[in-house]
Amino acid sequence: MCRIIVSVFFLLNFHLCVSLTSDGLSLLSLKSAMDDVRGTVFSSWKENDDSPCRWTGISCANISGSSEPRVIGITLSGKNLRGYLPSELGTLVFLRRLNLHGNDIYGSIPNNLFNATSLHSIFLYDNNISGQLPPSVCNLPRLQNLDISGNSLTGIFSKGLRKCRQLQRLILARNKFSGEIPLGVFPELANLLQLDLSENLFNSSIPEDIGELKSLTGTLNLSFNHFSGKIPKSIGDLPLTVSFDLRNNNLSGEIPQTGSFANQGPTAFLNNPMLCGFPLQKNCKNSSNNSSDRGQGSSDNEGTNSRKGLKPGFIILICLADAFGVAFIGLVIIYLYWKKKDSGGGCSCTGKGKFGGNHEKRMFCDFPCINGFPNNDSEVESEKGGGGGASCGASGGEGDLVAIDKGFSFELDELLRASAYVLGKSGLGIVYKVVLGNGIPVAVRRLGEGGEQRYKEFVAEIQAIGRVKHPNVVKLRAYYWAPDEKLLISDFISNGNLASALHGRNGQPSPSLTWSTRLKISKGTARGLAYLHECSPRKFVHGDIKPSNILLDNELQPYISDFGLNRLINITGNNPSSSGGFMGGALPYLKPAQPERPNNYRAPEARTPGNRPTQKWDVYSFGVVLLELLTGKSPDLSIPTTSTSTEVPDLVRWVRKGFEEQNPLSDMVEPMLLQEVHAKKEVLTVFHVALACTEADPDIRPRMKTALENIEKVGA
């Protein structure tokens, strides 16, 4: 109380002797209420200034009917300020944005703050604010964003919140709100896009009308509360793109199977002991009754089974064992036959064989050095026995040359004698462009020289990769295995990769990368990645999605490359510490125009050594690629902010900061993208998809299938 009196006295005296505007005087109350620990925030706040518009963290604008610029924004987030919120802020009648998050603000939120009726965004999260949320918050007719998470607020979920009809984001997470959520609130919030009530003390059932939030996107987060009872079926009426997070509650009964529930994974429902049904691995039938029924049935039938002889299950097992025995004997006979046939052929390399034929492997007798693939960085035309300077005798034994695609047939010596262009070198092997005699180019990657003891494992991986067939994934055509030589032959994609197209030699994007083209690349990449996750035989995790692994053809259609490659490198003993990203792709130059740091595309949890790759890693990486397509900025560069001289070292954080501060879209987007008709709305939608994909918590990120569905709607 003493401090408030001093503050009022301070302002009255200054009002008599300075020419500062009324907005400036109101802001001085904030300076008086806060301790500037660093001493850098309020140093520019001078009482003898005519206007506060040049003060740190203050934004102004010319308002119609006003003779002077008026304060419209206060942005002092993360400044290590300690103090309370003065009620004088409510006199800033044109204030639109109040951003004080990440400080040490204590005390309650003053009722008078909501006299600033132009406020549309309030960001007070990650402070130490206590007390209750004043019901007058909905006196703000334009309120769109309210984020007061990470404080110590108490009280109930007020029914008065139904009056905030313009509200788009309501984030109350990590507080101490309790009680029940009344009916009748959510049907009134027709514009709500984000709802996060996680980590509170709500102990009622989930309201039935929550399914009426038809505009909701991203994640409905009700986790880490004490919600009880059954999950309302109405939640299934939410848009199909919404993810649920209902973990760590006291929910019970069977999970509904309607609408949006079909798109949820098991993590959405974990740690609800009384919850059962798909996708949880818990049957809803009473287990105790089942066990007693089974016990009674077994005792009743014991005598019957003993009289009838063998059980049906044993008979089936015996039949299966017989079938496997016959099949095994047949395989042994076939193996011995082909081994005898091959051994009689010697090493006479006469005649020509097609790729994938019976005597292909003997054709390596003429090429002990695999001499069609030089180790220098220039084009080489190899003659028989020449080897481009390579020493002979490197190929110490016979190898297996296998065509995965039987329709892709060519002569082996044609491959080995063809012109070979080095496309790139890395820990993932050397990659060549090889033009066959019929003019068809292929990409050939040389892997490591070891791994001869892991042949079966290598073949199993190759076969899984070879079964992947999708128009947005590079297709593996064949492979060669020998103790000291492993080759992968894949389609050659002719127009380089996305990294080169985005940044080129001089850091400028290709003129052909219009918004419609970037949207096409985004959709194609999402389709290919969703296929790898959901439909491929192995349900692959790529683990290294980035622009240099997204190849482009002449029509600028994208192709995902290098999936499954790290596993093959591990088998062959090569070092995958660096990433070339050139499998199947042609580069305009031997070296990338800008060095890449792959970790900047990796999810936060992927940067911890020892963690196994997951599909959510790929989702995060895809989100970073989207942000790079939208902004034109590489994630490995420090990005200067527009309002201060500081730099943000992370593209994801920079974009989130921009949206949080309501920066104009033109400040974040590649300028050329907003020149197309309807581009602005579409760009904004893709931004939301990218931000959802780059959530720090992997459980909150959508599945790749969901991200694809959201992107497919853009421009449709």
Side-chain angles (χ1 to χ4, degrees), residues 464-700:
I465 295 172
R467 286 195 293 270
V468 172
K469 297 180 181 180
H470 189 274
N472 295 113
V473 179
V474 173
K475 188 172 184 180
L476 183 65
R477 296 291 186 173
Y479 71 92
Y480 171 74
W481 167 281
D484 57 357
E485 191 70 63
K486 288 87 183 170
L487 305 176
L488 300 179
I489 298 95
S490 64
D491 283 346
F492 176 78
I493 310 302
S494 57
N495 202 16
N497 59 44
L498 182 57
S500 297
L502 276 171
H503 305 294
R505 174 177 281 177
N506 57 0
Q508 296 300 317
S510 167
S512 59
L513 283 184
T514 61
W515 169 241
S516 58
T517 300
R518 296 187 194 213
L519 188 57
K520 177 173 69 174
I521 293 172
S522 301
K523 290 181 178 181
T525 304
R527 292 184 196 115
L529 196 52
Y531 173 86
L532 290 177
H533 284 188
E534 306 286 347
C535 306
S536 63
R538 187 73 64 85
K539 288 184 167 48
F540 281 97
V541 174
H542 190 289
D544 197 17
I545 290 294
K546 55 186 179 181
S548 63
N549 281 336
I550 300 172
L551 311 179
L552 304 174
D553 64 11
N554 290 331
E555 303 298 325
L556 294 178
Q557 287 289 348
Y559 295 78
I560 297 174
S561 70
D562 284 8
F563 70 93
L565 192 57
N566 279 332
R567 175 65 179 158
L568 292 176
I569 293 294
N570 184 44
I571 293 173
T572 57
N574 212 339
N575 179 17
S577 59
S578 59
S579 179
F582 308 128
M583 184 175 182
L587 294 180
Y589 314 102
L590 290 179
K591 296 181 180 179
Q594 293 183 353
E596 285 189 315
R597 299 176 184 175
N599 283 345
N600 292 313
Y601 294 94
R602 301 183 70 186
E605 71 274 13
R607 302 168 194 176
T608 302
N611 283 354
R612 296 184 62 182
T614 68
Q615 292 183 350
K616 290 300 181 74
W617 291 21
D618 290 347
V619 173
Y620 184 95
S621 300
F622 174 74
V624 178
V625 172
L626 284 184
L627 292 179
E628 191 168 356
L629 279 166
L630 290 164
T631 64
K633 300 182 184 297
S634 177
D636 62 334
L637 299 177
S638 293
I639 305 169
T641 62
T642 55
S643 58
T644 67
S645 60
T646 60
E647 289 187 341
V648 180
D650 184 281
L651 178 60
V652 175
R653 287 169 52 198
W654 179 74
V655 172
R656 289 188 183 280
K657 184 179 178 67
F659 272 89
E660 183 181 281
E661 296 180 353
Q662 302 286 314
N663 291 341
L665 200 60
S666 57
D667 288 353
M668 296 183 288
V669 177
E670 184 99 46
M672 61 183 291
L673 300 187
L674 297 179
Q675 298 174 5
E676 297 184 39
V677 179
H678 305 306
K680 184 175 181 179
K681 182 178 180 180
E682 294 174 354
V683 164
L684 189 60
T685 303
V686 177
F687 259 122
H688 286 304
V689 175
L691 291 174
C693 290
T694 53
E695 288 282 356
D697 186 348
D699 291 325
I700 297 178

Side-chain angles (χ1 to χ4, degrees), residues 289-565:
N289 289 341
N290 287 344
S291 59
S292 62
D293 291 342
R294 287 194 299 269
Q296 182 179 357
S298 60
S299 61
D300 290 343
N301 295 329
E302 185 177 356
T304 305
N305 287 337
S306 63
R307 290 191 299 269
K308 290 183 180 179
L310 292 175
K311 294 181 179 179
F314 286 133
I315 296 174
I316 293 173
L317 287 175
I318 292 172
C319 293
L320 289 174
D322 289 341
F324 280 122
V326 172
F328 177 77
I329 294 172
L331 289 173
V332 170
I333 293 173
I334 293 172
Y335 171 78
L336 294 174
Y337 170 79
W338 285 111
K339 184 174 180 66
K340 181 177 179 180
K341 181 175 180 180
D342 287 344
S343 63
C347 198
S348 62
C349 298
T350 58
K352 293 184 178 181
K354 292 290 184 180
F355 203 75
N358 292 332
H359 60 284
E360 306 165 317
K361 56 186 178 182
R362 295 199 300 275
M363 301 181 72
F364 274 97
C365 300
D366 285 343
F367 307 98
C369 312
I370 314 296
N371 57 16
F373 302 109
N375 283 321
N376 54 34
D377 288 344
S378 61
E379 176 186 351
V380 173
E381 294 284 353
S382 300
E383 299 296 336
K384 180 178 178 180
S391 60
C392 293
S395 184
E398 290 187 353
D400 290 317
L401 186 56
V402 179
I404 295 175
D405 184 359
K406 301 304 180 183
F408 194 76
S409 179
F410 57 89
E411 297 175 2
L412 178 59
D413 58 350
E414 181 184 356
L415 171 68
L416 300 180
R417 298 172 188 273
S419 300
Y421 303 79
V422 177
L423 298 178
K425 296 180 180 180
S426 74
L428 297 182
I430 303 176
V431 184
Y432 305 88
K433 173 187 176 183
V434 177
V435 181
L436 302 177
N438 57 7
I440 297 177
V442 293
V444 179
R445 181 186 291 276
R446 296 182 77 177
L447 303 178
E449 298 179 356
E452 58 269 14
Q453 304 301 323
R454 304 174 70 178
Y455 172 74
K456 292 183 179 179
E457 193 175 353
F458 180 88
V459 171
E461 290 294 324
I462 285 288
Q463 289 176 345
I465 295 172
R467 286 195 293 270
V468 172
K469 297 180 181 180
H470 189 274
N472 295 113
V473 179
V474 173
K475 188 172 184 180
L476 183 65
R477 296 291 186 173
Y479 71 92
Y480 171 74
W481 167 281
D484 57 357
E485 191 70 63
K486 288 87 183 170
L487 305 176
L488 300 179
I489 298 95
S490 64
D491 283 346
F492 176 78
I493 310 302
S494 57
N495 202 16
N497 59 44
L498 182 57
S500 297
L502 276 171
H503 305 294
R505 174 177 281 177
N506 57 0
Q508 296 300 317
S510 167
S512 59
L513 283 184
T514 61
W515 169 241
S516 58
T517 300
R518 296 187 194 213
L519 188 57
K520 177 173 69 174
I521 293 172
S522 301
K523 290 181 178 181
T525 304
R527 292 184 196 115
L529 196 52
Y531 173 86
L532 290 177
H533 284 188
E534 306 286 347
C535 306
S536 63
R538 187 73 64 85
K539 288 184 167 48
F540 281 97
V541 174
H542 190 289
D544 197 17
I545 290 294
K546 55 186 179 181
S548 63
N549 281 336
I550 300 172
L551 311 179
L552 304 174
D553 64 11
N554 290 331
E555 303 298 325
L556 294 178
Q557 287 289 348
Y559 295 78
I560 297 174
S561 70
D562 284 8
F563 70 93
L565 192 57

Side-chain angles (χ1 to χ4, degrees), residues 30 44-45 67 151 170 203 298 465 476 481 514 556 587 606 706:
L30 180 62
S44 64
W45 290 34
S67 59
N151 283 287
L170 177 60
N203 55 9
S298 60
I465 295 172
L476 183 65
W481 167 281
T514 61
L556 294 178
L587 294 180
T706 303

